Amino acid sequence: MKKIIISALALVMASSVPVFAQTYRSEAREYRQEQRIHRALRQGELTPREAQRLIQQQRRIDRAQARAGRDGYVTRQERRKIERMQDRASRNIYQKSNNGRGYY
């Protein structure tokens, strides 16, 4: 009985690892982007409204990641969509923090 429980637990753990590996890169990138937003806000490069919109964009990426991983596997299409969203967010962060509208 004990062997069956242990093997079932090992099977569940092994099947959940690929999901974590597939979303780790995008989550790490999202974390870095959030840090860029907060740093730019602290340094006065972003107005509060610009920062709020960028944070909302990050939340949309969060929701897309949650939807993609809901079935237990992130497909190549879903991964590409999330990466495109992150690319767009990165460009927006750069453009907003370098547009000369600061908050001092």
Side-chain angles (χ1 to χ4, degrees), residues 81-98:
K81 178 183 175 187
I82 292 169
E83 286 180 8
R84 280 194 309 270
M85 291 174 77
Q86 288 176 332
D87 291 342
R88 196 173 309 121
S90 182
R91 278 193 307 272
N92 287 342
I93 294 167
Y94 177 80
Q95 289 171 349
K96 297 291 183 192
S97 62
N98 290 293

Side-chain angles (χ1 to χ4, degrees), residues 42-60:
R42 274 194 317 271
Q43 293 176 349
E45 296 171 351
L46 289 174
T47 64
R49 185 175 182 143
E50 288 173 336
Q52 186 60 36
R53 288 194 174 163
L54 292 171
I55 291 169
Q56 286 174 351
Q57 189 175 23
Q58 293 298 316
R59 286 186 192 137
R60 284 192 294 273

